[in-house]
Amino acid sequence: MICSLIHPLQCGSLPGRSTADAALVLQQNVESFHRLRYKVSTLFLDVKGGFDNVESPSLLSLLCRKGVSPYLVQWVGSYLRDRTCRLTFQGSPRLFAAVSVRIPQGTPISPLLFVIYVSSLHLEVPRSLVISYVDDFAVTVASPSYRTNVRLLQKSFSALKRKASPIHIFFSVPKTELIHWRTARSNEPPCSLPVQLEDQLFYPQSRLKWLGFIFTPAFDLRSHFSRRYTLANTALATIRRLSPTGMGLPPYLCLSLACSLLAPILLYGSAMWTPPPSIMGPMSVFWHRVCRWITNCFSSTNLTCLHREACLPPLPALVRHQRRMAGLRLICSPPEINPTTASLPKSVPTFSPHRAPLMARGKITSQPYLFFNLDWRSVPDKAKNPRYRHNAITALANAAAPPSIRGLYVATCLPPPNGLPTRNPGGCSILYSPQTEG
């Protein structure tokens, strides 16, 4: 029932969906459009007020139209009507007062009711995609030019406003952000065309933050992990005051702080992307400082002994473990619930064969592709095959693949004419499998 109430590209408020899924689906579709030589742009929107704008009659009517049982509809209506609260503290009068908000925040069911209420805002437009995480929306469009993208984004925003107005949902226009995506090897100058919404101009950003991730037009990961590195350094400087050398917290409590506080701050996003070598070095040096803070070892201590004494693995091993766990979560999630799993190739074993159609899947152009997607079981070789690589989602599936099948396949998502083998720029024969999709 839940799957029919919530849009498949809504990535919040349900078990099995997360911010990582929203970012991965966004990157997957941007790369798919780039593969077909389209120009891609994304408009990031934020719902104003959120829970406070949910109309109870409209929500109950929506639940009835979607076939929810009458007793559940009555229960939701009772939950939203005649709510009271009181403050309890020493000397308080403890009198109940009426609550005037539409959906109260802080209760387990409130986010679920909100994402059901805004499920109709995911517009179905050709070469367009609307991804959301609770009240954060990302509208992505693709066309042969950025100028056309600007017009499409303005039309999409107007359509969203018309769709949201009857249910009293409004967007916070001043918080809107725009990005024009480009490939890492693009020689064209960055596009500076703005989008105009409600007589306000929004220029494209060189870097922006969405759901805690730092995005750049070319998906440069250094900006994101440099930010995580800075935040982790600040956190370590703060908690080191609790345990100066020779006194303060015992080592096992310092280890708990490192695992529960420092590691999540430093490695946020590493389950999706591998930190580039230029930032992995400073991050590893920071991790060594954390180990010395836990153990009070000398700076000249052997690193292998240091990690074993601190009961912490080296950072590259921890990143590989997180990616493998993320890949296993991806494969084990039901495709009907997780939009990232629904974007996997059909050859990946999952609970059901259901797959969501990619916006760019099946579209053939007369121009050559910028790059080709590898089969999820293959290992990329940048030296021999620079144009054959994994996309963001199949890379996680490859990380979770057993070593016995890794490297056995080298295939792309779309077969060449007549299904004949072809030859890649590196001179190696590329085998195409009709069962493989990218």
Side-chain angles (χ1 to χ4, degrees), residues 235-386:
L236 178 61
T238 302
I239 65 175
R240 286 190 71 167
R241 303 171 187 171
L242 302 175
S243 182
T245 304
M247 57 188 301
L249 296 176
Y252 76 92
L253 291 181
C254 295
L255 176 62
S256 298
L257 282 175
C259 294
S260 61
L261 178 63
L262 298 179
I265 294 176
L266 181 67
L267 299 178
Y268 182 71
S270 63
M272 303 161 42
W273 308 303
T274 301
S278 59
I279 193 63
M280 179 63 87
M283 291 172 67
S284 297
V285 172
F286 167 81
W287 199 240
H288 298 157
R289 288 171 49 206
V290 173
C291 294
R292 292 189 182 96
W293 170 64
I294 294 172
T295 60
N296 284 329
C297 289
F298 295 108
S299 59
S300 58
T301 304
N302 180 272
L303 294 181
T304 303
C305 299
L306 178 65
H307 284 293
R308 292 189 177 185
E309 183 69 20
C311 300
L312 289 176
L315 195 64
L318 190 57
V319 170
R320 289 194 299 270
H321 173 74
Q322 287 209 351
R323 286 183 58 78
R324 182 170 176 80
M325 292 298 102
L328 290 174
R329 181 189 74 88
L330 181 66
I331 293 176
C332 295
S333 298
E336 295 84 359
I337 293 180
N338 193 315
T340 313
T341 306
S343 300
L344 285 170
K346 291 185 178 180
S347 57
V348 179
T350 55
F351 279 111
S352 72
H354 170 78
R355 293 293 184 271
L358 288 177
M359 298 296 105
R361 177 178 289 169
K363 298 181 183 298
I364 306 296
T365 63
S366 58
Q367 297 177 326
Y369 295 143
L370 288 177
F371 59 89
F372 296 89
N373 290 333
L374 282 173
D375 185 271
W376 68 279
R377 295 157 289 196
S378 63
V379 179
D381 189 343
K382 294 183 179 179
K384 294 183 179 180
N385 308 310

Side-chain angles (χ1 to χ4, degrees), residues 10 18 43 52 56 65 72 77 90 113 131 137 141 160 185-186 313 316 334 383 432:
Q10 170 62 253
S18 66
L43 193 68
D52 293 342
S56 176
R65 291 197 307 269
L72 281 178
Q90 186 176 4
L113 294 178
I131 306 171
F137 284 75
V141 298
L160 276 174
R185 297 185 179 183
S186 176
Y432 291 86

Side-chain angles (χ1 to χ4, degrees), residues 2-79:
I2 290 295
C3 296
S4 63
L5 295 176
I6 299 177
H7 195 274
L9 293 179
Q10 170 62 253
C11 299
S13 301
L14 273 183
R17 305 187 189 188
S18 66
T19 56
D21 296 315
L24 281 173
V25 172
L26 174 63
Q27 183 180 1
Q28 162 86 347
N29 282 273
V30 169
E31 290 179 349
S32 298
F33 284 127
H34 278 160
R35 181 176 175 273
L36 300 175
R37 293 183 177 269
Y38 283 123
K39 306 297 184 184
V40 190
S41 304
T42 300
L43 193 68
F44 296 92
L45 303 169
D46 183 72
V47 174
K48 182 190 296 184
F51 295 178
D52 293 342
N53 292 328
V54 176
E55 293 282 347
S56 176
S58 301
L59 176 60
L60 298 179
S61 175
L62 176 64
L63 294 176
C64 291
R65 291 197 307 269
K66 288 184 175 288
V68 179
S69 301
Y71 77 92
L72 281 178
V73 177
Q74 294 176 6
W75 183 87
V76 172
S78 174
Y79 169 78

Side-chain angles (χ1 to χ4, degrees), residues 5-7 10 47 50-51 54 59 62 111-123 130 132-137 160 163-164 167 169 171:
L5 295 176
I6 299 177
H7 195 274
Q10 170 62 253
V47 174
F51 295 178
V54 176
L59 176 60
L62 176 64
L112 182 60
L113 294 178
F114 179 78
V115 297
I116 293 174
Y117 191 70
V118 299
S119 60
S120 61
L121 299 184
H122 290 79
L123 303 178
V130 180
S132 63
Y133 185 86
V134 191
D135 60 347
D136 293 309
F137 284 75
L160 276 174
K163 195 81 172 178
I167 59 175
I169 292 293
F171 293 99

